[in-house]
Each structure stands twice: as structure tokens, then as C-alpha cells.
Amino acid sequence: MPNFTLDDSVFAEAARRFPTPFYLYDERGIRQAARDVKAAFAWNTGFRQFYAVKALPTPAILNLMLQEGSGLDCSSMTELLLARRIGARGEDIMFSANAMPVSELHFARELGAFINLDDISDVDRLILGGSVPQMVLLRVNPGKYGAQRQGVMGRSLDAKFGMLPTQALNALLKLKAQGMTAFGLHAMTDSNTLDIGYYISNARYLFELGAALMRQSGLPLALVNLSGGIGIPYLPEEDPVDLAAVSKGIQREYARVFSAREDIQLATELGRLITGPSGWLVARAIHKKEIWRNYVGLDASAADLMRPAMYGAYHHISVLGKRGAPTDKVYDVTGALCENNDKFAIQRRLPEIEIGDLLLIHDGGAHAHAMGYQYNGRLRCAEVLYTMEGGFRLIRRAQTPEDYFQTMVFD
Ligand SMILES: *Cc1c(COP(=O)(O)O)cnc(C)c1O
């Protein structure tokens, strides 16, 4: 079930203060989600969540994460620069990138970030940069032992991420020869899954591989990064993941594989689970059209939220002030792009919509504004934080045509 914790009056007030479209984020919900993750894994002494910056790379949100004790999971030079700029220290940063330029790897190393190597070839590239960190993580691709669901990521066997488990041993031996004294492991083979079995079996796989690699390399396993990928209930009939059950299942596997050891630190890199349900794209119906189908045109488009266009993803839509009204109309809800996949909803049952109505597109707190683009000269919209105190804070202004022209050469 999408998140209905904020009253319609909050959105209505926001829309009086800021021109639509914009994203509204609920500070309370975001903080609570970060606390829930921390509490669920409290049994692991060194546990730390690293928020996946790519999900919502806005300073005010990343600051909330740091305040809640999360680190930041970065995947590019720009994200590293952003993390540094908001005051994250090296130990607050996890760098998980693939096919990255060697300069990014070395910059992450200079910052003192945790380095998560995606491929065996990255070992030599890291060594080229000078001294190797005391601890390096390896991202593995479990192949047939990874997720087999044809989700957004495809099957592990087809996924570009991570190195072969057999390459991991060679990587460790090479790094050991360069002075590395402990290692970490990481794998992520599914995304947006509500199946708690996935996250537990991913952990089990990493624990067992870690135990084997410890024996084979003579190096201690210091950190297991369970990655991200826990899903959220986009559909009305879906329920949130039971985090306590996930954590308990992982604790059981941890105890089974590592019996006496308690010092192996766990990490997560959750993005969607933390901010996804606490963000809404607020847009206004500005057009209605009745041809072979009935269309409602919004002032937002796929340039603001591309998940429906890109993945056919479902985002729940509600119409402000019409929550209880009968959903006796069927609409395609569209944006203005010259692309027929610019539809937030296709043949969706909704209450009757009038021009001027405010629509909420739910679950827009992760991989939403962040995936925006400027096709058709549609500029990226603003982001507003609804604070704990009940105020509204503009945390990113809307782009202007001047921003759009800035990188163009006119003469
Ligand atoms: C995208 C990504 C995440 C976050 O994924 P969510 O689905 O938002 O939890 C974490 N780790 C890595 C390596 C990623 O690529």
C-alpha cells in the first residue's frame, strides 16, 4: 500500500506556496525509515547503513541521512564530490562503481572511502594509484546462486555487476601482497524486491563465500555489504517488507556460518526503502482530451519521473480532495513529451478529474527526480521538504531555461 501518512491539506498548502510540478518529501518518514533499518540490525555491533546517493542526490536529504548515522553509497565522481561537499568523511563513504574511470577509483581512495571493486581488473587499477587500503571490498556476481527473477536487473548470469567468485580469491591474494590486511564482500543481484528470501539468501551466499575465502586467503573477513534492493509497496495490494524478519533471517545465517565470531561488520546500501515511500510528485491536471481513450494531461512529464516510461513501473495516483470518491473513470494520465510512453498511468481507474485538480504520484522519493532529464526542453522540477516542524523548505529549485542553455555553445 502506498504511503498515505500526510494529509491532503499538506499537499494543498505546498501547492499554494510552490508552482507545480514539484516533489514533496516528508522528513519524518525518511528519518523513521533510516531509524527502522538501524534498529533492525542493532544485533550486529558494527552495522552501518550507507544511503544509495543515486536514489535521491539532494544535499538536504543526504544531510538527514548523515544526521541519522547513515553513510553514503556513491557510484561516480560527482557523487563523491557531492558527499565531500556536504561534509561526509572518508569512513562515511562507500564507493561502489562499475566500469569507472581509474581517476574516480583513485579519488575515492584519496578520500579514504570504502572501496568496493567490481572486477578483477580493478585490482591492478587500484594498485596503480599507490598504497592499497587496509581493507578493500570485492563485489561478486553469484551467477546461478544469485537472483533469478527477470526483474529490472535481469538474472545474475546476465548482469554486468561483480566479479566471479573464483576471481575473488586471486584479487585477495594480489591485494594481500600489496599490504591489505582484511577484506569485505558485496553482492547485489536484485532490485525492488519484496521477497525477503532474496535479501537473506544474498547474505547467506556472502557469508559462506566469505568463510571460504578466509580459509583460502588467510585474510580475515571484516565487512559484509548486503547492498540495497529491498523493495517498497508500489501497488495498493502490496505490503512493506518485514524488516525484523529479514534481519532475523540474516542473523540466523550469520550465527550458523560464523558461530563464535561477532566482529564481522554488516552494511547495507538501501536507497528506495529509505526515501521511496516518503516522496510524492505533485502535479496539476492542465488538459483533458477525449479521443479513442480519455486522457488527462499533467504539467509534469516523464522528464520528471521516468520509471513508468522506462520500466512500465506502477506508481499509485491519487487526486487531492477526492480520496473517498468513486473511481468510476478510466484515464491515461500523461505528460507533454512527444513520446507516447510519456504516461504516468495507462487505463487507470480514477475519480473524475477536472482541470486544475492536483494529482499525487506516490512513491516518488527514490529513483524518481534523480532519473530526470530534459528531453523536449522540459526542465527538471523543484524539490520541497516537509519538515518535522510542519514547514516547507525548498531544497532544490526548478531548472530555468538559463540553466538549460548554460552548457550550449551559441556562436
Ligand atoms: C542502486 C544501488 C543501490 C540502491 O538500490 P535500492 O534499490 O535503492 O535499494 C545499492 N547499491 C548499489 C551498488 C546500487 O547500484
Side-chain angles (χ1 to χ4, degrees), residues 245-324:
V246 171
S247 176
K248 213 165 154 197
I250 291 172
Q251 187 175 14
R252 202 173 320 120
E253 294 300 330
Y254 183 104
R256 185 178 64 76
V257 179
F258 300 126
S259 49
R261 285 192 62 181
E262 288 181 354
D263 57 333
I264 299 168
Q265 192 187 342
L266 298 186
T268 52
E269 299 172 335
L270 297 160
R272 191 186 316 266
L273 184 77
I274 308 294
T275 53
S278 296
W280 296 261
L281 175 57
V282 184
R284 202 177 287 281
I286 56 170
H287 195 244
K288 279 179 84 169
K289 175 166 179 171
E290 292 170 9
I291 48 170
W292 309 106
R293 289 183 182 183
N294 292 337
Y295 293 93
V296 172
L298 304 186
D299 53 7
S301 72
D304 300 299
L305 176 65
M306 84 185 309
R307 297 188 72 257
M310 190 171 178
Y311 309 122
Y314 179 96
H315 278 263
H316 198 68
I317 294 178
S318 56
V319 185
L320 227 64
K322 297 187 178 176
R323 208 175 276 183

Side-chain angles (χ1 to χ4, degrees), residues 52 54 73 96 139 186 188 191 228-230 269-272 367:
K54 73 170 192 269
D73 171 41
S96 301
R139 180 173 189 168
H186 170 281
M188 177 165 173
S191 172
I230 296 184
E269 299 172 335
L270 297 160
R272 191 186 316 266
H367 311 294

